[in-house]
Amino acid sequence: MPGSAWLRAAAVVVVGVVLAACSGEGRRGAGGTPTELRLAIGGESEEGYDPTLGWGRYGSPLFQSTLLARDADLDLVNDLATRHEVSPDGLVWTVDIRTDAKFSDGEPVSARDVAYTFTAAAKSGGATDVTVLREAVAVDEDTVELRLTKPQSTFVNRLVSLGIVPEHAHGPDYAREPVGSGPFVLEQWDEGQQLIVRRNDAYYGAKPAFERVVFVFTGEDASLAAARSGQVDVAALPPSLATGEIPGMTLTRVKSVDNRGIAFPFRPDEGSTTAEGRPIGDDVTSDQAVRRAVNVALDRRALVDGVLNGYGRPATGPVDELPWHEPAAAVGDNDPEGAKRTLEAAGWIDADGDGVRERGGTRAEFPLLYPAGDSLRQGLALAVADMLKPVGIAVTPQGESWDVIRTRMHADPVLFGWGSHDATEMVNLYSSAQAGVELWNAGMYRNPAVDAELDAGMAATDPQQATAHWKAAQRLFGPGADAAWAWLVNLDHTYYADACLDLGEPQVEPHGHGWPITQGIAGWRWTC
Amino acid sequence: MALDVLTTAPRARLVAARASRLVLLLTAVAVASFTLMVNSPVDPVAAYVGADVASLGPEQRALISARWGLDDPAHERFLRWFGNLLGGDFGFSLTFNRPVLEVIGDKFLASLALMALAWLLSGLLGFALGLVAGVRRGRFADRAITWFSYALASAPTFWVGLLLLYVFAVSLNWAPVCCAVPIGVPADEVGLGDRLAHLALPAITLSVVGIAPVVLHTRQAVVDALASDHVAFARAQGERGFGLVLHRVVRNAAAPALLLQFGSLGELFGGSVLAEQVFSYPGLGAATTTAALGQDVPLLLGIALFTTVLVFTGNLVGDRVHAVLDPRSRLTDVRGRR
């Protein structure tokens, strides 16, 4: 039968697959807890594992250790450092390091290695920003001085994120053969496929519970397939794919500061443009009453439930639940009546009865730009338009390329997504010095009092002091005051994890899903 | 004799003509790819830094730009790259932090197995099915095979890949879900069987790209051959069934199938971008995606040139094989040049 030719051919192929696919079983055999952990959480660093090029700037650097770390509450704790101190002028950071730390090749970690690492990172042109460093000097075996060109309290994040590399083993091949003092050592890296790491038994900290950890670099669909077929213990998946039960796995939600919010053009439209010729200003959103009304009218809980399917939290600002978050800056929302009162008090009246308010011939309408192709932001933009219509504000969501958004972002509101453990981001979003720089202060927001607080926070030499200034700034630019932005939601990051795996207390994760969960990987445990 | 024209001196001229055509083609591909890359809306620095871009200051951005050489005018960058290329230096891939040639070499080895298997699979299977369909024209087998081919031709590669992934890897648990090697196994313990198992699903997915045209063209060629005078003559002499097809039809039908197969290397490469993405297979296709999204100009240009040579060679070999199988094409070749 000719028809069976295909069947026969298919059978041959299938049998071949079956015969050859009988490996990978028995990892959990022989009773007891498995000694190997398999994760499909993305995070492959194609350029290798060199911290001076930016490896490990969030999540665990695995192979290297950092001077400081952040605990589950994001508070600073010592790691390689035993003490750090900032000079009163904020220009010199003195760090003492522990003397019992060894690199995986047996050499001790010295202050010279720390100085070398910071110097190399400052010059490398990689993805970590250490440009504020003037010089790094080892003053003795276990003390290093990091001298800065200007005070920068957020420099502490470099101490948290920059893994220390050995001066004697750092060269062009280092990224593929990393040597460090971290909890793991590299065993094998199959580029584009998987990273196999082994426990570093010489690690000075608490030893991980796993002898080996395998990171599988699969796409989202293959990650889900791997989780469903029991081939991985943890899979990072977007909430849209995290539907349904997987036997033996639990769906873990991790809070994040991966936020979405609307940046309002802050200045009125006076016909001015940037040096590149991009228009600046909008006569509707430049009115504080309009920005406040938008903030008050929105029902953020409904956005979370409707657009994020419940995987998220209402956002009150750019740094929700980070240590420097100011809860007092928040306002009550889902209050269309309050929004109407605010608008009417400011003179926005719907005189012609077309459902849109106007004032002095200006209609209360604006477009809302979002990157086309981002279905989440599209959903948010449409929902925002629906919520503001009854209030008398007409919003037209428009999906555009980043190219177009860049040219229009000073004159039209844009739906951005941010979220970082580094307070520098907040400064960049609200400081008038960053107006029109990158995508940061796109609305060209400017309030000298906010600038003063942000500058003072940057210049602070003590974290508590800096936090006080960050909080003061939030009270000034927050929705109850200048309402420079309307923050909408914080996403939840979703992971399928083996029901027997205890991931500890996860941190509030930054923008970027997947690798950040490794922050506490050395403390993960099997519970059954 | 017209065929004598193909010997000695004109053959050298032919090779020279083909080589100069290749050089022209490569130059055009390089210029076009570079223009597209430079004008793409992707900001190279933002793509490189990823989610953390907001805590990166202008000074660091300038450092990265300087390291990537993004500050110079586009034409200078291109000419510098082109000059280095003439000296045999393909440049340095910044996303992979390695020389471009090394990256292409590594990735191509992985892709070669995948593409070769898929190519053989689609060629053999397509030819066999086309033969059956042509011989049984109008019957059930023909209708089934033709329907199957149209279905394959209209099925997107990544969708077929996902379907296979869910049936064979997830539901039946027969095949691995990803990669070219088993998860968590040291390189020296990976056997040939493991590699084949990991190759199976991506290769089947990729072969789907090529099967349908081969089937349909072969079917038509078989139908034409069966209707020809030489087959009628053979039938008159009493030849029947399998023997008739094998001796009188296969060679005629093979010519278009082979030409198609060799000409389809470009589509094969295009399909591998998708198939490798679905199965996290670490080949040239996956590297192309990474290079394009990361604005890695040297790597993407290197891959573009490399695939151009591949496709060009494929077409060239296809022409020669076709000429061997079907002497008539050589005659038109010669007449055409006069």
Side-chain angles (χ1 to χ4, degrees), chain A residues 421-458:
Chain A
H421 287 173
D422 187 341
T424 310
E425 183 184 277
M426 185 177 76
V427 175
N428 287 339
L429 296 185
Y430 287 98
S431 162
S432 66
Q434 307 296 5
V437 179
E438 308 282 332
L439 293 171
W440 297 336
N441 186 356
M444 305 234 169
Y445 172 65
R446 179 184 166 80
N447 179 340
V450 169
D451 284 343
E453 293 293 349
L454 295 177
D455 290 345
M458 268 297 183

Side-chain angles (χ1 to χ4, degrees), chain A residues 2 13-14 17 20-21 23 38 46-47 57 122 124-126 128-129 131 176 188 191 193-194 212 218 418 428 438 440, chain B residues 48-49 54 56-57 60-61 63-64 67 95-98 132 174 180-184 186-187 193-194 200 204 280 282:
Chain A
V13 171
V14 167
V17 171
S23 57
R38 293 178 176 183
E46 279 95 1
E47 65 175 349
R57 66 192 180 279
S124 70
T128 186
D129 186 348
T131 46
R176 281 179 167 69
Q188 179 180 323
E191 290 189 36
Q193 306 175 72
Q194 61 176 348
R212 292 169 96 220
T218 41
W418 297 104
N428 287 339
E438 308 282 332
W440 297 336
Chain B
Y48 170 65
V49 177
L56 200 79
Q60 185 65 19
R61 182 175 270 270
L63 263 181
I64 298 175
R67 181 162 76 105
T95 45
F96 289 96
N97 194 15
R98 292 169 79 187
V132 171
W174 287 358
V181 290
I183 298 174
D194 291 325
I204 293 172
S280 315

Side-chain angles (χ1 to χ4, degrees), chain B residues 1-8 10-11 323 326-334 337-338:
Chain B
M1 282 289 286
L3 284 180
D4 292 343
V5 182
L6 278 179
T7 52
T8 59
R11 171 158 290 174
D326 189 347
R328 288 170 300 178
S329 66
R330 266 181 291 178
L331 288 176
T332 49
D333 219 21
V334 170
R337 264 207 327 279
R338 270 195 186 147

Side-chain angles (χ1 to χ4, degrees), chain B residues 197-218:
Chain B
H198 285 79
L199 209 53
L201 286 190
I204 293 172
T205 307
L206 188 50
S207 70
V208 163
V209 181
I211 284 187
V214 176
V215 172
L216 296 174
H217 278 90
T218 306

Side-chain angles (χ1 to χ4, degrees), chain B residues 44-115:
Chain B
V45 177
Y48 170 65
V49 177
D52 228 15
V53 69
S55 36
L56 200 79
E59 296 90 359
Q60 185 65 19
R61 182 175 270 270
L63 263 181
I64 298 175
S65 291
R67 181 162 76 105
W68 285 51
L70 298 175
D71 299 331
D72 309 329
H75 66 275
E76 269 179 35
R77 288 167 60 197
F78 182 75
L79 288 178
R80 194 171 54 232
W81 172 82
F82 199 75
N84 290 342
L85 186 71
L86 294 180
D89 176 9
F90 276 73
F92 195 81
S93 159
L94 284 143
T95 45
F96 289 96
N97 194 15
R98 292 169 79 187
V100 165
L101 268 191
E102 265 182 41
V103 177
I104 294 183
D106 263 16
K107 307 282 174 188
F108 180 64
L109 273 186
S111 277
L112 185 66
L114 175 63
M115 282 162 63

Side-chain angles (χ1 to χ4, degrees), chain B residues 15-302:
Chain B
V15 170
R18 286 264 157 88
S20 62
R21 214 183 292 170
L22 176 62
V23 170
L24 271 179
L25 180 68
L26 286 175
T27 313
V29 165
V31 172
S33 315
F34 186 83
T35 314
L36 282 174
M37 286 288 280
V38 169
N39 289 305
S40 109
V42 180
D43 172 11
V45 177
Y48 170 65
V49 177
D52 228 15
V53 69
S55 36
L56 200 79
E59 296 90 359
Q60 185 65 19
R61 182 175 270 270
L63 263 181
I64 298 175
S65 291
R67 181 162 76 105
W68 285 51
L70 298 175
D71 299 331
D72 309 329
H75 66 275
E76 269 179 35
R77 288 167 60 197
F78 182 75
L79 288 178
R80 194 171 54 232
W81 172 82
F82 199 75
N84 290 342
L85 186 71
L86 294 180
D89 176 9
F90 276 73
F92 195 81
S93 159
L94 284 143
T95 45
F96 289 96
N97 194 15
R98 292 169 79 187
V100 165
L101 268 191
E102 265 182 41
V103 177
I104 294 183
D106 263 16
K107 307 282 174 188
F108 180 64
L109 273 186
S111 277
L112 185 66
L114 175 63
M115 282 162 63
L117 197 63
W119 188 80
L120 279 179
L121 212 59
S122 67
L124 293 178
L125 209 60
F127 187 62
L129 289 178
L131 217 53
V132 171
V135 172
R136 314 283 292 181
R137 185 159 76 117
R139 311 271 188 85
F140 172 74
D142 177 32
R143 286 207 300 277
I145 290 173
T146 315
W147 178 84
F148 175 71
S149 303
Y150 283 126
L152 283 192
S154 43
T157 313
F158 71 92
W159 181 79
V160 174
L162 283 179
L163 212 62
L164 290 176
L165 189 68
Y166 273 84
V167 173
F168 289 101
V170 178
S171 301
L172 299 173
N173 221 340
W174 287 358
V177 289
C178 83
C179 318
V181 290
I183 298 174
V185 176
D188 48 11
E189 289 173 25
V190 178
L192 186 65
D194 291 325
R195 290 190 186 278
L196 282 178
H198 285 79
L199 209 53
L201 286 190
I204 293 172
T205 307
L206 188 50
S207 70
V208 163
V209 181
I211 284 187
V214 176
V215 172
L216 296 174
H217 278 90
T218 306
R219 178 183 174 277
Q220 193 54 44
V222 170
V223 169
D224 289 347
L226 283 175
S228 67
D229 291 344
H230 78 272
V231 170
F233 181 64
R235 279 190 213 270
Q237 285 185 321
E239 277 193 60
R240 287 283 179 280
F242 186 66
L244 175 78
V245 174
L246 189 65
H247 298 301
R248 309 289 169 198
V249 176
V250 166
R251 183 164 168 169
N252 298 45
L258 276 168
L259 199 59
L260 264 177
Q261 261 315 81
F262 281 103
S264 71
L265 288 181
E267 281 105 74
L268 196 67
F269 180 78
S272 80
V273 173
L274 299 170
E276 290 180 8
Q277 214 62 30
V278 172
F279 293 98
S280 315
Y281 197 86
L284 210 50
T288 312
T289 319
T290 313
L293 292 179
Q295 280 275 307
D296 189 346
V297 176
L299 180 59
L300 205 71
L301 289 182

